[in-house]
Structure formats: structure tokens, C-alpha cells
Amino acid sequence: MKPLVIIPARGGSKGIPHKNIKLLGGKPLICRAIDNARAVAPDSDICVSTDDSEIIQVVEDYGLKVPFIRPTELAADNSGTYEVLLHALSFYEQQGRTYDTIILLQPTSPFRRDEDISEALKLYSPDVDMVVSVTEARANPYYNCFETDSDGFLHVSKGDGKYIRRQDAPKAWEYNGAIYIINPQSLKRKSLGEFKRRRMYEMDELHSLDLDTPLDWRIAELLIAENEI
């Protein structure tokens, strides 16, 4: 299997300014994703897609060549991951380089382990659209997710409230943002949200931490300081 690893790293982060190059545990955040990528692919098959000169400098100082500068129209606040992936894949295909899979590694999952990627890869086969990492959802539509009826009253989203203990309800899963192993042919036909043949790779809550807010960052720092990770 020959994967193309894509690490998207837009410069205009607002929730945590400059988060992709911010030091976490003494290392720029994006370098943690590069370490993960290097565990499964050579540098020539690792693509950091960014529009930001500071990110490029940090990445290349870490020894990885950035193959292109992401076009401005793919670096706006409303730019989608789908278009970014297609752009990177097309860049390599125009050079005559083809890949069996795309591995999307977002820098905001600092505690993703190399073995998580390796185990997720074992679940991939050409007949699926994607293998995606998940963690058990905190809010379960059979137990503690609610919708309002026409009178404005709350009702459990699914199951008519018949489960009185969470452990009795069917499990629900949510993407944790850590690992996406994508079929390139599926990607060319439809967006990620349209994928139907998805297999899940389960990760625990600790290693699923996604850095989206300053509070998330403080939690990550605490976990490192307390040797919890």
C-alpha cells in the first residue's frame, strides 16, 4: 500500500492563534503530526498543505520540504478540507505519481499515536470509502440528546426515552479528527460527507483530544506536565 499523507495547516487560526506552530511540550504542534506521518511514509510522500510562510519555515526547518503554497482561495475561513485534499492529490498526479490511499492527519490531534495510524490502516481495503478514527460520543441520541416537538417540549432524539441507564443504550460514536484514511477514487467522485462505506477505528478519550480552543490547549499542556500522556 502506497499512501500520500496530507497535513493541512492553514495560517489563519482564530480559536488558538498560530496554533500550528505554537509550542506544545517544547515542540511546534505541526511537527508532532509530521512525526506521525514519518512513521508510515517517506518524506517524499508527506504533503504539508499551507498558505503561511511561517508554517513553511517551521516545517522546512524540521527537515520536510513543503511542495507548494496553497492557493489563497483554498485558505479562507470557509475553505473545505475536501477541496484541499483534491488540490494536493492533483498536484502529485500531474507529476505522474499515484497513491493507493490518502492519510489525512490534522495537526490538532497531538496525542494520536503512530500505532493508531498503523492499526487503522489494517482496516482499510479498496472497497471502502474511508476508515475514520472515532471515540465514544459523550452525548447519546438514545439517552441524553434531545429535540423539541411542535410545542417546544424536549424529547429524547431516538428510542422514545426507553433507556434509563446510559450503559443500556446502543453506543454512539463521533469523529475525533485524528485519522482519516481515504480512498482516492472515492474522493474524486464525492465529498467526505457523502461517503457511505466507512469503517471506524476506535480511540480512547485521552488520545482523541482535539485542540480547538484555548481551554483544550491548557488541558493538553497539563496532561504533558503531569506525565499523563
Side-chain angles (χ1 to χ4, degrees):
M1 185 182 299
K2 183 176 176 62
L4 170 63
V5 185
I6 301 176
I7 303 172
R10 190 170 65 90
S13 172
K14 292 183 178 178
I16 306 172
H18 307 292
K19 67 181 176 185
N20 287 311
I21 56 175
K22 186 178 173 69
L23 295 182
L24 179 66
K27 178 181 291 189
L29 185 64
I30 195 169
C31 294
R32 292 174 174 267
I34 292 171
D35 288 345
N36 289 146
R38 283 172 164 165
V40 294
D43 282 10
S44 58
D45 295 329
I46 300 172
C47 172
V48 171
S49 174
T50 184
D51 61 310
D52 187 271
S53 60
E54 289 186 281
I55 293 175
I56 291 173
Q57 187 67 57
V58 169
V59 170
E60 296 198 338
D61 285 348
Y62 204 59
L64 180 67
K65 177 68 176 176
V66 175
F68 54 76
I69 298 175
R70 190 194 301 181
T72 303
E73 64 270 20
L74 295 181
D77 288 343
N78 60 351
S79 297
T81 301
Y82 173 66
E83 291 78 13
V84 170
L85 294 176
L86 280 179
H87 172 263
L89 180 62
S90 175
F91 173 86
Y92 288 96
E93 287 186 341
Q94 288 174 15
Q95 299 178 355
R97 298 166 63 182
T98 58
Y99 294 91
D100 301 319
T101 61
I102 295 170
I103 303 177
L104 168 61
L105 300 179
Q106 300 187 117
T108 47
S109 297
F111 301 145
R112 167 187 51 224
R113 296 162 295 189
D114 297 344
E115 55 263 38
D116 289 320
I117 304 171
S118 297
E119 290 301 310
L121 277 168
K122 293 177 182 178
L123 300 175
Y124 178 82
S125 59
D127 62 330
V128 304
D129 295 323
M130 177 171 68
V131 176
V132 61
S133 59
V134 302
T135 189
E136 187 173 356
R138 291 187 178 184
N140 188 315
Y142 291 93
Y143 179 69
N144 62 345
C145 280
F146 299 86
E147 299 174 11
T148 54
D149 62 18
S150 58
D151 296 316
F153 294 114
L154 287 171
H155 296 276
V156 174
S157 293
K158 298 182 71 171
D160 300 321
K162 68 179 180 181
Y163 299 102
I164 60 174
R165 300 192 312 163
R166 180 185 178 93
Q167 56 265 44
D168 294 332
K171 284 189 175 184
W173 309 95
E174 61 183 44
Y175 288 7
N176 66 4
I179 303 166
Y180 300 80
I181 301 172
I182 301 165
N183 186 324
Q185 300 309 313
S186 297
L187 187 72
K188 293 175 183 179
R189 295 192 300 266
K190 50 195 172 182
S191 66
L192 303 181
E194 296 174 310
F195 286 171
K196 301 298 183 185
R197 297 183 62 81
R198 291 170 285 186
R199 289 180 180 152
M200 72 173 199
Y201 171 71
E202 183 182 358
M203 292 173 60
D204 60 43
E205 185 177 16
L206 181 63
H207 293 93
S208 295
L209 181 64
D210 179 54
L211 302 184
D212 187 49
T213 68
L215 178 59
D216 296 331
W217 193 277
R218 292 186 65 183
I219 291 171
E221 289 181 323
L222 180 62
L223 289 170
I224 291 172
E226 296 294 327
N227 294 315
E228 295 291 332
I229 195 73

